[in-house]
Amino acid sequence: QSYVAYQRAGRVLQAFETGIPREDGATKQDVRVALLGSSNIDPFAAYVRVETYRHGLIATCFVASYERYHRELLDPKGELNAFQPEIVFLDLEVASLVPRATRYGLRNDDVVAILAKLDDLATAFRAHGTALIVVSNFVNTNARPYAIVKSPEDAAYVELNRRLATHFKRGSNVIVLDVDGLAGYHGKGRSCDGKLRYLAGMKWSESFLPVLARSYAAVIMAARRPTYKCLVVDLDNTLWGGVVGEVGGEGIVLGPD
């Protein structure tokens, strides 16, 4: 699962065309995915291709140029609209939406402004695009885990993600991906890499990229698979009388049917 291995596999998959035969005679379907972010996400496309391919889909990826996400979302004649994606992943940083946060950190006063800017971007794109928009929530990469008292910035990130989780209404074709929770599960100290940030403008670490790509692939599969509906009922004292774990199969009460 090294960076080099993913990039090699990604280049192979990038050369594939729609409808590649599989060993079982079926074909792998194609899905058009756009990746937009406020950091360098070019290498991440290979990870998305590989993890999506594991589920039987060929991901044709569009990667917006570094920090051009706003232009692509706003321009109806831009490259993103011409690509006609089915799913758009938007992974932004607080500082790209509120530049003063670079120097002063996130504050509660910034939460409303960030939500409004995300709204504007989504609304502008929906005016000329029908793709599902997947917005990542925000990870505080400046958090200090050994602090006795949490900083105002920590509280602001919690509030921002709390409000973002319910901000977009049902039917808006926008969902929120809990990347903050994913980074917490992986380990926030290992999720970001300051060296990669300095050298290549990349936010996420090499160890976190596969984790994030698997989450993207899960969203893609959920969007592409048909919806299954289940009727879930209790058994004891519902489909039969009595508790089978207490009286055994011979002791339960059955009706005439």
Side-chain angles (χ1 to χ4, degrees):
Q1 293 191 6
S2 70
Y3 175 88
V4 174
Y6 268 100
Q7 297 306 314
R8 287 175 177 171
R11 284 193 292 270
V12 172
L13 293 174
Q14 189 175 9
F16 284 179
E17 295 180 355
T18 305
I20 298 176
R22 297 194 310 202
E23 293 180 359
D24 59 5
T27 58
K28 289 187 179 292
Q29 296 178 328
D30 178 76
V31 58
R32 304 179 71 78
V33 178
L35 305 174
L36 285 73
S38 57
S39 60
N40 179 12
I41 56 174
D42 283 349
F44 184 54
Y47 289 81
V48 175
R49 290 187 179 101
V50 171
E51 295 302 333
T52 305
Y53 186 79
R54 295 183 194 273
H55 294 281
L57 288 176
I58 298 292
T60 302
C61 294
F62 169 86
V63 182
S65 301
Y66 190 13
E67 277 281 12
R68 284 181 56 92
Y69 65 88
H70 52 287
R71 297 183 185 180
E72 295 295 348
L73 290 170
L74 297 175
D75 187 3
K77 298 182 180 179
E79 295 180 8
L80 175 63
N81 194 52
F83 177 71
Q84 295 184 338
E86 297 173 55
I87 303 176
V88 175
F89 288 95
L90 191 59
D91 185 12
L92 305 181
E93 296 170 278
V94 161
S96 69
L97 296 167
V98 182
R100 68 178 179 180
T102 303
R103 183 172 181 179
Y104 301 106
L106 179 68
R107 294 293 180 264
N108 278 329
D109 296 342
D110 299 323
V111 171
V112 174
I114 290 174
L115 295 177
K117 288 186 178 182
L118 291 174
D119 250 341
D120 291 342
L121 291 172
T123 301
F125 177 75
R126 284 200 301 268
H128 53 80
T130 59
L132 172 67
I133 303 175
V134 182
V135 178
S136 297
N137 65 5
F138 298 91
V139 180
N140 183 10
T141 58
N142 299 319
R144 295 170 177 82
Y146 301 112
I148 297 175
V149 179
K150 293 297 183 181
S151 69
E153 185 175 38
D154 291 330
Y157 269 92
V158 171
E159 177 65 12
L160 173 59
N161 286 336
R162 185 189 69 80
R163 295 184 59 175
L164 179 61
T166 57
H167 179 71
F168 293 102
K169 298 177 181 178
R170 254 188 199 183
S172 66
N173 214 27
V174 181
I175 63 173
V176 177
L177 184 63
D178 185 16
V179 175
D180 182 61
L182 198 65
Y185 174 79
H186 182 68
K188 289 187 178 180
R190 299 190 300 126
S191 298
C192 300
D193 190 324
K195 184 178 180 180
L196 278 177
R197 162 75 75 181
Y198 179 76
L199 294 176
M202 293 175 59
K203 176 171 64 171
W204 303 119
S205 67
E206 181 180 344
S207 65
F208 187 60
L209 289 175
V211 177
L212 186 60
R214 292 184 196 115
S215 181
Y216 277 33
V219 173
I220 292 169
M221 293 308 300
R224 287 296 300 267
R225 282 175 175 160
T227 300
Y228 295 97
K229 296 184 177 182
C230 300
L231 178 63
V232 182
V233 298
D234 192 12
L235 301 179
D236 294 329
N237 288 318
T238 302
L239 291 188
W240 53 68
V243 180
V244 69
E246 297 177 357
V247 300
E250 299 299 323
I252 61 174
V253 180
L254 298 176
D257 299 325

